[in-house]
Structure formats: structure tokens, C-alpha cells
Amino acid sequence: MKIAFVLFDGLTFLDFAGFYDVINRLNFFEQTKGTTWETCAMTDQVTDESGLTLKVDRVKPNLAEYDLIFVPGGMGTRKLRFDEAFVGWLRQAENVPLKVSVCTGSLLMGSAGFLTGKKATTHPNVYDLLEPYVAEVIQTRIVKDGNVITAGGVATSIDLGIYVVGLLAGQEAAANVKLQIDYPYEMQGVVEA
């Protein structure tokens, strides 16, 4: 499996880091051993909404090459969803088997057309911004509709990572990851449409 972390200026770092820290553990399990990942962006580095700069692995790769794309959220999504160059690049992932977002990353997925006719979620403060892109906004933490998974606000990125590990490597692997990261909470608010 090959994963693309789609990054951009104005992302929320925990949106990215929470999911990244969990999902990179896929290599610990036989079912998903050999998983690779790359950080991808339109430029060779991005700056999060607090000023932290991240160097990316690949600039504008063809997103169709990946098996899973992950799109974090952040204040940068508000304008970026109307940026034709970025949205056009993101649309390359149309046939990627699994498309995942957390927080307002769903706005970018929506602007690329990935949420048309689907149920989805986002940060609770911006359900209204998601409405034009979806069949229904579900006010919950994680929504899986077909091959698209969207998640709520920032800290949900950790739950989302555990959920995706469970899908790809099994529930025993997900439970193992929870032990590794000392995560004592039970998953809640998951809707599979």
C-alpha cells in the first residue's frame, strides 16, 4: 500500500501528525507490511497555521499513483477549496481506492468532487461549509461512505488513524496500536453509510 499525505499552507499540524503517527504503524503488521508513504504538496515545503514549517517528500506528484490519500484540515482550507490549481491536482486522486480526510480537509475533498452524493462529516464549527458538497452532513466523529472516510475536528485524527488501521490490518492490530500509543479511549461516533 502506498499513502499520500496531501499537505498545504495553513494546515493544522495535529490533523496531520495525529493520523500520521498512528497510520505509519501499519508496517508492524503482516497484513500491511511494506506500506509506504510520502508527504506531498504543491511546493517543497508548507507552513502550518501556527508557523511550523514542514519539508515535503514530493512536489505535485500524480496522486493517481497512490492507494490512499489523506487530507488534513486547517484554516488554509477555507481559501484553498477555491484554488483551481490545487483542486485540479487533488482531482488526480479520483480513482484512488481510499480517500480520507480529517477536520476541514473534507472541504477540499468536497471541492474536488469526492463527496458528491455521499454522507460526510467535518469539524463541528463548519458543518454549514460542508453542506454544498455532500448528500448529507452527519454530525459525528467518523463517517465512512464507500471508499471515502471523513472525520471531525482536530483530535479526531488519532481516532481516524486507529479506525483505518482496523480496516486495513484488522481489529487486533488496531487494539495493538492503542496500546503502543497509550490510548485508553473507546472509539465512538462512527457511522458507516
Side-chain angles (χ1 to χ4, degrees), residues 176-193:
N176 190 303
V177 168
K178 285 176 67 174
L179 288 173
Q180 290 171 12
I181 65 171
D182 192 20
Y183 192 77
Y185 310 106
E186 290 303 316
M187 189 84 56
Q188 59 181 320
V190 177
V191 174
E192 295 183 344

Side-chain angles (χ1 to χ4, degrees), residues 18 21-25 28 157-159 161-162 174-185:
D21 188 82
V22 172
I23 208 72
N24 73 37
R25 296 164 192 269
F28 297 163
S157 62
I158 298 169
D159 286 353
I162 294 167
N176 190 303
V177 168
K178 285 176 67 174
L179 288 173
Q180 290 171 12
I181 65 171
D182 192 20
Y183 192 77
Y185 310 106

Side-chain angles (χ1 to χ4, degrees), residues 67-154:
D67 302 301
L68 184 157
I69 63 156
F70 170 75
V71 184
M75 294 306 290
T77 61
R78 307 316 194 272
K79 280 197 243 179
L80 201 53
R81 64 191 165 126
F82 302 114
D83 182 313
E84 275 307 313
F86 180 86
V87 173
W89 174 56
L90 190 57
R91 280 191 189 113
Q92 294 176 343
E94 181 179 1
N95 295 317
V96 167
L98 195 55
K99 293 179 265 302
V100 181
S101 71
V102 69
C103 199
T104 56
S106 60
L107 301 179
L108 300 177
M109 297 239 294
S111 68
F114 302 154
L115 303 182
T116 303
K118 297 200 176 279
K119 296 177 181 178
T121 194
T122 190
H123 191 290
N125 290 345
V126 294
Y127 288 144
D128 60 322
L129 296 181
L130 184 60
E131 285 176 359
Y133 300 114
V134 299
E136 183 182 354
V137 173
I138 305 290
Q139 297 184 11
T140 193
R141 289 179 62 80
I142 296 173
V143 176
K144 181 180 185 298
D145 190 340
N147 70 336
V148 175
I149 304 169
T150 54
V154 187

Side-chain angles (χ1 to χ4, degrees), residues 27-53:
N27 273 318
F28 297 163
F29 308 104
E30 202 54 46
Q31 308 90 310
T32 48
K33 197 171 279 304
T35 296
T36 61
W37 50 84
E38 296 171 318
T39 53
C40 307
M42 298 282 287
T43 54
D44 64 351
Q45 64 181 32
V46 298
T47 303
D48 84 345
E49 58 194 13
S50 299
L52 178 68
T53 299

